[in-house]
Amino acid sequence: MKLFILFLIAMPALEITLLLLSGKTIGVGFTLLLIIATGLIGAYLAKQQGLETIRKAREQMSRGQMPGNQVIDGICILIGGTFLLTPGFVSDILGLLLLLPPTRAIIKPLIVKWILNRMNKGKLTIIR
């Protein structure tokens, strides 16, 4: 929880600093164009990846399998899309890492490990 609060404080400060530096370096117009472009690209990627994940989940459920992997994909896509829609360069990088399948494949085992650790410590409750 302490790390999350630190993240909530440090992230906007870093984003504002980078946006001001970018505006000074490449100009306000190009900076605004980059922000708008990453938002549009993020929305497109999130939609494309989300629909693909839903298709895979339905396919697995039709075969009687649990779509656990697709649920984690969906969480990554949701968070990644949100990061890309948020103005800022650091959030855009984080969003792309969560949206693109090759990097998401690296991040997913870390998320599963984190969830399992929380479950084993009794800090995460599964309601059935």
Side-chain angles (χ1 to χ4, degrees):
M1 188 61 150
K2 292 178 185 178
L3 284 176
F4 184 68
I5 292 171
L6 179 64
F7 177 78
L8 284 178
I9 294 169
M11 186 70 159
L14 179 62
E15 293 285 19
I16 290 169
T17 302
L18 288 175
L19 286 170
L20 289 172
L21 183 62
S22 172
K24 188 175 182 179
T25 305
I26 64 173
V28 175
F30 283 123
T31 301
L32 287 173
L33 186 64
L34 277 172
I35 291 170
I36 292 168
T38 56
L40 292 173
I41 291 168
Y44 172 76
L45 281 174
K47 180 181 177 184
Q48 178 189 26
Q49 293 295 313
L51 291 174
E52 179 66 19
T53 300
I54 290 170
R55 185 191 64 74
K56 287 180 182 177
R58 284 182 180 165
E59 185 178 299
Q60 279 191 323
M61 288 189 302
S62 71
R63 285 190 253 138
Q65 299 172 337
M66 286 295 293
N69 199 28
Q70 277 63 43
V71 170
I72 304 273
D73 273 337
I75 292 169
C76 290
I77 291 165
L78 177 66
I79 295 170
T82 304
F83 274 139
L84 274 168
L85 290 173
T86 305
F89 297 121
V90 176
S91 59
D92 289 344
I93 292 169
L94 291 173
L96 278 174
L97 290 175
L98 289 168
L99 274 180
L100 298 175
T103 53
R104 192 170 60 231
I106 296 169
I107 295 170
K108 281 192 324 189
L110 300 173
I111 293 171
V112 170
K113 183 178 178 181
W114 179 79
I115 291 171
L116 289 175
N117 280 340
R118 303 247 336 151
M119 285 172 56
N120 290 336
K121 291 179 182 177
K123 294 184 178 182
L124 183 71
T125 303
I126 305 290
I127 299 172
R128 296 177 192 211

